[in-house]
Structure formats: structure tokens, C-alpha cells
């Protein structure tokens, strides 16, 4: 179960209680990244396959797994309930628990296991109008089964329940195909499988650290209706008793909801900056204010150049950005000039803006941490730091004025989720060798001679939260850096040097003679490779090494608070 | 749009959808003389079932017509309607 990096090709084991051939074929030949090699477990052999039975496909070494079973296949008690027999809910839930236990066993063999939620065809109305409120209802039992499954998945670390009900809804009334079922044991129409494939790929993107992190949005006729430079902020269509104004306001609310999940909001607009910012400050029905933005490029220059410049300022790669603009010309310009930036097709009708944004899967992550939720505020603090840097003449004076503190803590179950997120989502200051899961990090922390550290960073502008991860493995005289990932949010203020100082100290305490690191050369981790060369010395056969006996200098402006291991 | 053309469009759309399940080199061209099934060419058995169900469902949804293409008797006809796109379109039209 080695994670794919170069070429990003995953191997997915498909376990289903129905004929999975259509789903497998659509996943296999879907042109969207990442590419997936699909291995099909024998049809209907869900339990043996989950338990790792011979011939189930595990011999192909899949790194992920999709399990899709109909509720009546998982729970015979549910099948009886659907057939009109009285069945106790506890009986059904016990069978769901047994299924969840099988999922947990299968999950130990892969990096990610996705399981489709239980769903029934739209024509399965159970007891009709009383089906949800009556304790013996079929739909009610289904809700309970899905909640039980979701709760089991939440405690697993690498099992995620995907909402098959939403796939059915997207496919419409023809989602379940009775004729295809009776002729070929394929229950669902192709449109359902297309939704499933897109969802699984969104999960794999998240697993690979490819979730988009930044929205770059236009202002005129996108964030609001009208041209602010022509009508003034008082004349904009935003909110009010106006269908266009309400639609733009709803779009802003959708953007704000994304920001609360940790996505950064930025603006690229052809406008007079003072006029545009005044509109954002003063319009009474504006949802997004300048303080909600991580940055902006408002002026009369090329938007593509502005976006590239803005991403540089935020220290994130272009691959993290999504550009939204009502103008097809601007979209095409950015698409051509910055192919790494995702430029989704955009509807002309403002009423469809919010649904178009909320329908994007590119922001999907596998967990949302407190650090994610605080990210927009952290970037607002960063803007203040940059402003201070412009006011303070020298770099050292600026750094000294920040009051940077770094906390080093051994990994615990409470911080393992955030650590896995750092490993999964950091693309620049990372070795780029692997992306361990929460379970893998906790397991390796238990091994003799191995220490897993997580680092928190704060300064006088605020707490950036847990933003660094490192794993040290002692092997003979070398302490090898197995993981090294620091969020780009805290780079450039001595944090990476402080972490290195701490790791050199730990390596010395563990009896090693050298701290060594062997980064992979990925497309985006050049900052890490350059830092290691600068800090530890040039690589020999791809490995950087530092003799630990003399220590490693702690930046004078940083206070390090290290917990005992 | 005349009825023949609408049926042809339904068959092409269904084939286009099915092509998404095939490797690029094995995709069926959307043409009258494309062989759907027979002589080792065209669709495999599941592909044929997908085509039958897809065309039936779209005929029902778009033209409001019930045509049973999945009947074993249809497959056993000497002049199989699933020989080519043209023969399938002709067969459907004769039964509307």
C-alpha cells in the first residue's frame, strides 16, 4: 500500500454485493486524474473479501478500497423488515456493527477505505407516509443504519462513508434500473456510477494532498451584481428584494461557508482598488468584508499575472487555486496562462452561482481540524505581518518584533488527525516521500527508536496552531527523518530552522551521530530540498546529513518550548 | 426532428455513454454501419444488455414508447436487430 506520487495511479479494490463490472469499467476509463487501476472482488462475496479471503483481490496490493453493498445484503434483518416482517431495530444494528467490523479489518490493509452509504430505490416507499416516523419503518431503519455506519467510520481513522443517496438523487428517477438488475445484477444506472467515481476520486485527491485551498474570485457581476466603478457601491445589486441581488448574496454566503472549512478567499478584479474595497467595507448587505480575504489583486493589470503573484504572496502553489469569474474571456485567459489553476465552467445566471460553487468536489478533504477553521484568520494575521515587514527596515528587526514561539510535542491520539492532515496536505516544505495516515503515524510512534513530533507556532499576531510534523527513526548511527512537513503558512520566520534545531537535539539524545534526510524530488517540494541543502549541507547520493554532536543553531528570535518525549 | 432521426439520436447517445466504459481503442463509432454485436465484433454480453436497457429507458422517457428489446426472441431473430446501428433503428421504428 505505497502511496502513489509520480503519475498518481491508485489501485482500488472494488467489493460489492452486485455485479460491479459497469462501475469498474467507468472508474477504469474515466479520464480525470487520478488514474485508477481497478481490481474487482468476486461479485456478492462481501464478507469473505472484507476478511481478506484468498482470491478477493488483495493480492494485487490495492492502496484503497470501495465497498458498496445494498442494505438487504448487509442485514438479513433489514431484508425481512423491507418484506413486511416486524424486526427489532437492535437486530438490524447488530448486523451493521458486524459489517463495520469487517470494514475495519479491510481498512487495516489500505490507506483509505470508502464505503457507500445504504440506499434503497426511490420506489421503495416502505410504509409510505408513516415510514420515517413509525418505529418499524423501512426508511427509518435505513437512517439508523447509516448513522451507525458513519459513527463506526468516524472512529476508524481511514474509513469514510460516501453518500450514495446523493448519487441517486443526482441521477434522478432512473437511478435504480430494475431491468438492468434482473438482466445483469447491476442495480444502478451509469449516471449513479459516474457520481460514485467522481466522489471516490475526490477522496483520492484529498488523500494525495491535492485538495484545492484557495478561491480567487472576481468582483463585478460575480461577487455582486453591477460594475462598482460605474454605479458606486450604493448602486450594486446585492441582497435586498431583488432576485439578482439575493443570488449574489447567497453566493457570498457559500464562499464564507467554504472559508469556515479552511479554504482561503482571495480576489482578482479589474477595478480601482480603493473603490472596490470601499464597497466591501460599506455596503450594508455585503457578506464578505476585506477582513475575510487572505489577499487580493485589484487593479488594471493581467489577472493571470495577478493570480500568480497572489499565490506567491500566500506561499501556496498554483495547483491549490480555483478561479471564478463571470467573464468567459477572463476564464479562458487564466486557463491558458495558468493551466495548474482550476477554472471551472461557470453559469451565466447568478442564481446558479452558489450551487455551482457548492457542487465543486475539489475542496474535499478527509478531515477538518481546528487549524483549518482558523486558517482564514491566520492569513489575515499574515497580512498584518507583511505590512509590518514593510514598515520595519531590516529582516532581523522584523523577525525580532514577531515574538515567535514554537512548541514541540510528542504525537498523541489527540493530535494524530492533524498530523496526518499535515502529511497529506503539505506540498512544499515536505520530503515528498510518503503521506502516512493517522493510524500509520500512531503505530510508528510506538516503535522503539522512533519519535513522532508535532509542532505548534504562535507569535504576537496569533496562534497558527499545529503546523509542523517530523518523524525521527534511529538506524545505527543515523537518525533518519522519515517525515518532515511544515505548513507554508509559517515558513520564513525561523520555524523550519527551529524544528531542525529540536530534531538535532533529539537525534543526539537518541544516540545517533548524524541527522539524515533523503527527500524525493517532487514537482512542488523544491523549497524543502533547498532548505535541507542550506541547513544540513549539500546532498550526497540524494541524502543530506548533519553531525549532531555540535547541535544546530536555534534562531535568536525564536523561543522553543519542547515537551519531554 | 423526424422520428427516425430521434431514434438514431437515442441509440448514438446510449452508445456514447457506453463508450465511456471502454478503452479508447475499442470505442464504437457513432455511425449507421457500426457493428453492435456479432462475428466477434462490437459489444460483449454486458455491453449489449447495457445498450438494450439504455435505449429502452430513453425511448420511454423521450418518446413515451415501450419497446421490449430484451426479449430472448428478439436476440434469436434470424436478422438480428443488434447487427448494426441501422438495423436497430429500423427495428425500433417498425415497433412504434
Amino acid at each position: 500500500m505505497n502511496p502513489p506520487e509520480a503519475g498518481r495511479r491508485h489501485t482500488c479494490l472494488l467489493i460489492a454485493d452486485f455485479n460491479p463490472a459497469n462501475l469498474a469499467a467507468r472508474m477504469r476509463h474515466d479520464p480525470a486524474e487520478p488514474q485508477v487501476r481497478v481490481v474487482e472482488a468476486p461479485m456478492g462475496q462481501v464478507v469473505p473479501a472484507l476478511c481478506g479471503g484468498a482470491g478477493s483481490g488483495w493480492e494485487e496490493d490495492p492502496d484503497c478500497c470501495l465497498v458498496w453493498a445494498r442494505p438487504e445484503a448487509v442485514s438479513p434483518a433489514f431484508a425481512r423488515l423491507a418484506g413486511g416482517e416486524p424486526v427489532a431495530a437492535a437486530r438490524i444494528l447488530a448486523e451493521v456493527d458486524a459489517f463495520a467490523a469487517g470494514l475495519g479489518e479491510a481498512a487495516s490493509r489500505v490507506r483509505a477505505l470508502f464505503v457507500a452509504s445504504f440506499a434503497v430505490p426511490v420506489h421503495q416507499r416502505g410504509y409510505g407516509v408513516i415510514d420515517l416516523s413509525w418505529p418499524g419503518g423501512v426508511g427509518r431503519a435505513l437512517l439508523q443504519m447509516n448513522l451507525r455506519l458513519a459513527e463506526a467510520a468516524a472512529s476508524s481513522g481511514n474509513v469514510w462513508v460516501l453518500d450514495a443517496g446523493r448519487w441517486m438523487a443526482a441521477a434522478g428517477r432512473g437511478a435504480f434500473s430494475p431491468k438492468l438488475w434482473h438482466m445483469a445484477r447491476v442495480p444502478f444506472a451509469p449516471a449513479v456510477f459516474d457520481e460514485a467515481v467522481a466522489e471516490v476520486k475526490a477522496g483520492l485527491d484529498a488523500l494525495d494532498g491535492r485538495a484545492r485551498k484557495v478561491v480567487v474570485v472576481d468582483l463585478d457581476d460575480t461577487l455582486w451584481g453591477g460594475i462598482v466603478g460605474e454605479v458606486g457601491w450604493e448602486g450594486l445589486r446585492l441582497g435586498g428584494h431583488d432576485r439578482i441581488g439575493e443570488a449574489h448574496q447567497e453566493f457570498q454566503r457559500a464562499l464564507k461557508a467554504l472559508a469556515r472549512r479552511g479554504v482561503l478567499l482571495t480576489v482578482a478584479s479589474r477595478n480601482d482598488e480603493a473603490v472596490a474595497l470601499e464597497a466591501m467595507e460599506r455596503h450594508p448587505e455585503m457578506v464578505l468584508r476585506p477582513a475575510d480575504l487572505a489577499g487580493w489583486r485589484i487593479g488594471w493589470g493581467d489577472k493571470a499575472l495577478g493570480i500568480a503573484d497572489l499565490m506567491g504572496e500566500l506561499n501556496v502553489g498554483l495547483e491549490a487555486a480555483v478561479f471564478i469569474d463571470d467573464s468567459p474571456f477572463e476564464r479562458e485567459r487564466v486557463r491558458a496562462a495558468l493551466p495548474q489553476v482550476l477554472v471551472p465552467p461557470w453559469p451565466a445566471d447568478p442564481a446558479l452561482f452558489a450551487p455551482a460553487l457548492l457542487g465543486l468536489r475539489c475542496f474535499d478533504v478527509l478531515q477538518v481540524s481546528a487549524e483549518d477553521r482558523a486558517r482564514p484568520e491566520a492569513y489575515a494575521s499574515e497580512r498584518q505581518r507583511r505590512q509590518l515587514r514593510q514598515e520595519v527596515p531590516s529582516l532581523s528587526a522584523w523577525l525580532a518584533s514577531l515574538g515567535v514561539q514554537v512548541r514541540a510535542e510528542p504525537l498523541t491520539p489527540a493530535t494524530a488527525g492533524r498530523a496526518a492532515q499535515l502529511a497529506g496536505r503539505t506540498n512544499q516544505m515536505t520530503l515528498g516521500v510518503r503521506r502516512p495516515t493517522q493510524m500509520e503515524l500512531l503505530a510508528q510512534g510506538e516503535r522503539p527508536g522512533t519519535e513522532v513530533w508535532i509542532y505548534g507556532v504562535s507569535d504576537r499576531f496569533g496562534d497558527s496552531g499545529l503546523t509542523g510534523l517530523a518523524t525521527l527513526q534511529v538506524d545505527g548511527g543515523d537518525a533518519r527523518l522519515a517525515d518532515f512537513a511544515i505548513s507554508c503558512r509559517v515558513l520564513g520566520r525561523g520555524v523550519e530552522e527551529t524544528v531542525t534545531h529540536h530534531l538535532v537535539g533529539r537525534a543526539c539524545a537518541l544516540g545517533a551521530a548524524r541527522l539524515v534526510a533523503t527527500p524525493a524530488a517532487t514537482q512542488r517540494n523544491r523549497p524543502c530540498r533547498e532548505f535541507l541543502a542550506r541547513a544540513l549541507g549539500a546532498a550526497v547520493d540524494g541524502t543530506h546529513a548533519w553531525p549532531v554532536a555540535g547541535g544546530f543553531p536555534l534562531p535568536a528570535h525564536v523561543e522553543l518550548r519542547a515537551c519531554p518525549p | 426532428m423526424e422520428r427516425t432521426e430521434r431514434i438514431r439520436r437515442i441509440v448514438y447517445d446510449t452508445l456514447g455513454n457506453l463508450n465511456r466504459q471502454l478503452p479508447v481503442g475499442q470505442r464504437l463509432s457513432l455511425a449507421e454501419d457500426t457493428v453492435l454485436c456479432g462475428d466477434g465484433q462490437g459489444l460483449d454480453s454486458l455491453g449489449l444488455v447495457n445498450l438494450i436497457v439504455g435505449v429502452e429507458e430513453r425511448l420511454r422517457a423521450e418518446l413515451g414508447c415501450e419497446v421490449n428489446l430484451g426479449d430472448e426472441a428478439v436476440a434469436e431473430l434470424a436478422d438480428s436487430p443488434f447487427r448494426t446501428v441501422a438495423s436497430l433503428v429500423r427495428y425500433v421504428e417498425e415497433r412504434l
Side-chain angles (χ1 to χ4, degrees):
Chain A
M1 58 169 147
N2 294 324
E5 265 302 331
R8 288 220 305 140
R9 187 176 169 89
H10 289 270
T11 298
C12 182
L13 176 61
L14 207 51
I15 300 175
D17 75 299
F18 53 82
N19 181 351
N22 279 359
L23 171 60
R26 294 184 98 79
M27 187 177 287
R28 196 174 282 133
H29 302 300
D30 178 48
E33 284 289 317
Q35 292 300 292
V36 179
R37 187 170 77 92
V38 182
V39 180
E40 299 170 50
M43 176 172 65
Q45 301 292 308
V46 173
V47 173
L50 290 178
C51 295
S56 299
W58 294 107
E59 61 279 6
E60 298 290 330
D61 194 24
D63 67 317
C64 60
C65 180
L66 171 62
V67 181
W68 195 344
R70 293 163 309 123
E72 58 270 37
V74 165
S75 169
F78 176 82
R80 293 206 307 279
L81 183 81
E85 290 182 41
V87 176
R91 186 88 182 238
I92 295 172
L93 295 181
E95 290 170 344
V96 173
D97 289 343
F99 176 61
L103 293 174
E105 191 174 335
S108 67
R109 300 188 201 98
V110 288
R111 298 183 65 221
L113 186 145
F114 303 107
V115 54
S117 65
F118 301 119
V120 293
V122 68
H123 60 252
Q124 170 55 282
R125 295 183 62 248
Y127 288 83
V129 293
I130 64 167
D131 199 45
L132 288 183
S133 49
W134 184 52
V138 175
R140 184 186 177 101
L142 198 70
L143 291 177
Q144 291 173 314
M145 290 173 74
N146 277 325
L147 183 59
R148 191 71 154 230
L149 186 65
E151 285 170 347
S155 62
S156 71
N158 68 334
V159 177
W160 289 275
V161 181
L162 306 182
D163 188 352
R166 204 167 54 214
W167 307 339
M168 313 268 172
R173 287 194 70 83
F176 182 80
S177 176
K179 188 148 190 177
L180 207 47
W181 171 248
H182 291 298
M183 290 182 78
R185 284 290 178 264
V186 178
F188 306 115
V192 175
F193 292 138
D194 288 342
E195 290 290 320
V197 169
E199 198 98 321
V200 168
K201 289 199 168 187
L204 294 177
D205 269 340
L207 194 67
D208 292 341
R210 297 297 179 113
R212 302 271 167 170
K213 301 171 186 169
V214 185
V215 176
V216 186
V217 67
D218 172 47
L219 293 178
D220 292 335
D221 286 326
T222 303
L223 206 60
W224 53 61
I227 311 292
V228 67
E230 292 177 4
V231 300
W233 63 264
E234 303 93 333
L236 295 177
R237 297 181 78 175
L238 185 65
H241 298 289
D242 168 26
R243 68 176 183 87
I244 298 294
E246 285 180 4
H248 284 289
Q249 200 177 40
E250 187 185 343
F251 177 53
Q252 290 199 19
R253 283 195 206 97
L255 284 165
K256 188 127 185 171
L258 264 189
R260 289 182 179 123
R261 283 165 42 181
V263 174
L264 301 177
L265 305 183
T266 66
V267 160
S269 167
R270 290 183 191 280
N271 254 311
D272 182 282
E273 182 174 309
V275 171
L277 292 178
E278 183 190 23
M280 293 192 75
E281 291 279 11
R282 297 188 64 183
H283 196 290
E285 301 211 52
M286 192 73 64
V287 175
L288 297 176
R289 302 293 184 184
D292 293 309
L293 303 178
W296 58 77
R297 287 294 180 274
I298 302 173
W300 301 103
D302 179 20
K303 280 196 184 181
L305 285 176
I307 291 169
D309 192 40
L310 186 55
M311 293 305 109
E313 177 183 302
L314 298 177
N315 214 359
V316 297
L318 290 168
E319 298 85 355
V322 177
F323 176 61
I324 293 172
D325 197 308
D326 69 300
S327 161
F329 167 81
E330 298 288 7
R331 293 202 301 270
E332 198 46 48
R333 163 65 186 149
V334 171
R335 204 175 274 136
L338 306 173
Q340 306 96 320
V341 174
L342 175 66
V343 185
W346 202 245
D349 186 345
L352 303 178
F353 285 9
L357 178 69
L358 296 172
L360 294 174
R361 291 185 163 101
C362 58
F363 302 112
D364 286 9
V365 292
L366 296 178
Q367 54 189 309
V368 178
S369 65
E371 280 76 13
D372 291 328
R373 291 187 179 280
R375 185 175 296 121
E377 280 180 34
Y379 272 83
S381 302
E382 183 58 30
R383 259 210 332 272
Q384 291 178 291
R385 284 184 199 99
R386 285 196 299 270
Q387 193 173 349
L388 180 68
R389 186 168 186 172
Q390 287 169 350
E391 292 165 3
V392 176
S394 78
L395 178 63
S396 59
W398 172 70
L399 289 171
S401 72
L402 290 178
V404 178
Q405 292 184 344
V406 175
R407 308 181 302 279
E409 308 165 9
L411 187 78
T412 66
T415 54
R418 173 58 183 159
Q421 201 179 37
L422 278 168
R425 297 179 66 176
T426 305
N427 293 310
Q428 297 185 95
M429 188 56 73
T430 177
L431 295 178
V433 176
R434 59 185 205 142
R435 296 189 187 276
T437 64
Q438 181 175 340
M439 290 165 66
E440 287 168 339
L441 284 168
L442 282 170
Q444 72 187 14
E446 298 295 318
R447 290 189 198 122
T450 299
E451 291 185 356
V452 185
W453 290 89
I454 190 154
Y455 299 89
V457 176
S458 62
D459 64 19
R460 70 184 173 94
F461 291 105
D463 192 333
S464 300
L466 299 174
T467 42
L469 165 73
T471 300
L472 267 184
Q473 292 175 340
V474 176
D475 179 15
D478 285 344
R480 175 164 292 280
L481 263 181
D483 299 300
F484 181 75
I486 299 176
S487 166
C488 59
R489 278 194 285 141
V490 296
L491 297 181
R493 8 181 166 147
V495 173
E496 52 272 43
E497 289 84 357
T498 303
V499 170
T500 306
H501 164 84
H502 176 251
L503 292 170
V504 165
R506 290 309 312 152
C508 192
L510 288 166
R514 304 190 306 168
L515 176 74
V516 299
T518 309
T522 71
Q523 286 181 334
R524 290 181 283 171
N525 76 341
R526 180 184 294 273
C528 183
R529 286 181 277 133
E530 290 178 351
F531 167 71
L532 291 173
R534 206 165 54 242
L536 305 184
V540 177
D541 294 333
T543 296
H544 304 271
W546 179 266
V548 300
F552 186 90
L554 175 68
H557 65 279
V558 179
E559 180 186 350
L560 172 65
R561 296 179 179 177
C563 296
Chain B
M1 194 188 303
E2 68 161 310
R3 196 168 65 178
T4 307
E5 182 53 34
R6 293 177 75 178
I7 296 169
R8 188 181 297 112
R9 180 52 48 200
I10 284 173
V11 173
Y12 283 166
D13 285 352
T14 308
L15 273 182
N17 198 332
L18 278 180
N19 274 339
R20 295 174 58 189
Q21 298 186 190
L22 298 172
V24 173
Q26 294 176 23
R27 291 180 179 170
L28 302 184
S29 57
L30 307 186
E32 291 267 311
D33 58 353
T34 293
V35 174
L36 297 174
C37 191
D39 298 337
Q41 296 182 67
L43 299 163
D44 62 12
S45 58
L46 179 59
L48 185 59
V49 169
N50 282 324
L51 177 69
I52 287 169
V53 174
V55 169
E56 279 185 7
E57 288 179 350
R58 295 198 59 167
L59 285 170
R60 191 179 308 118
E62 294 177 28
L63 301 182
C65 304
E66 291 282 348
V67 177
N68 187 357
L69 298 171
D71 194 320
E72 286 81 356
V74 178
E76 289 166 7
L77 288 172
D79 187 15
S80 168
F82 302 114
R83 177 77 189 152
T84 63
V85 168
S87 65
L88 178 58
V89 171
R90 193 165 51 247
Y91 180 84
V92 170
E93 189 169 27
E94 286 168 358
R95 269 139 195 90
L96 294 184

